[in-house]
Amino acid sequence: MAETVRNIFSIIQFGGPLIGGTLFLAATVATPAVRRADLKKEIKELRNQALIWGVIVAPLATVILQFLLNNVVAGGASCGF
C-alpha cells in the first residue's frame, strides 16, 4: 500500500509540471496564430490555468501531502518519500 501511495504522489509531483508546462508552452506559441478574439482569450485563460495548476499547485500539493503522511498519519512514514 505504501508503495502505491508513493507512486501516486510521484505521478502528481512530476506529471503535473510536465503536463502544465507543455500546455503553457503550447498556448504561448499558439496565441499569436489565432485571429479570433474570443478564442485568443480562451487560450490565454488555458495558459494561465496550466501555469497555476500544473507548475505551482501540483508540486506544492505533493509537499503538503508528504508532510501530512510523514507527521500526521499513523504509519505514513513507511511511504519513505
Side-chain angles (χ1 to χ4, degrees):
M1 180 67 177
E3 187 72 25
T4 302
V5 172
R6 187 170 57 98
N7 290 341
I8 290 171
F9 289 131
S10 295
I11 290 172
I12 293 170
Q13 184 177 13
F14 299 118
L18 181 67
I19 294 170
T22 303
L23 286 174
F24 178 80
L25 182 62
T28 302
V29 170
T31 301
V34 175
R35 298 187 66 115
R36 291 180 25 206
D38 58 336
L39 187 57
K40 190 174 284 202
K41 186 176 179 181
E42 287 183 25
I43 290 175
K44 287 181 181 179
E45 183 65 27
L46 171 81
R47 183 186 65 198
N48 294 339
Q49 291 294 322
L51 178 67
I52 291 170
W53 290 102
V55 178
I56 297 171
V57 174
L60 186 61
T62 304
V63 172
I64 292 169
L65 290 171
Q66 180 179 3
F67 170 78
L68 289 174
L69 279 176
N70 288 335
N71 297 321
V72 178
V73 177
S78 66
C79 291
F81 290 106

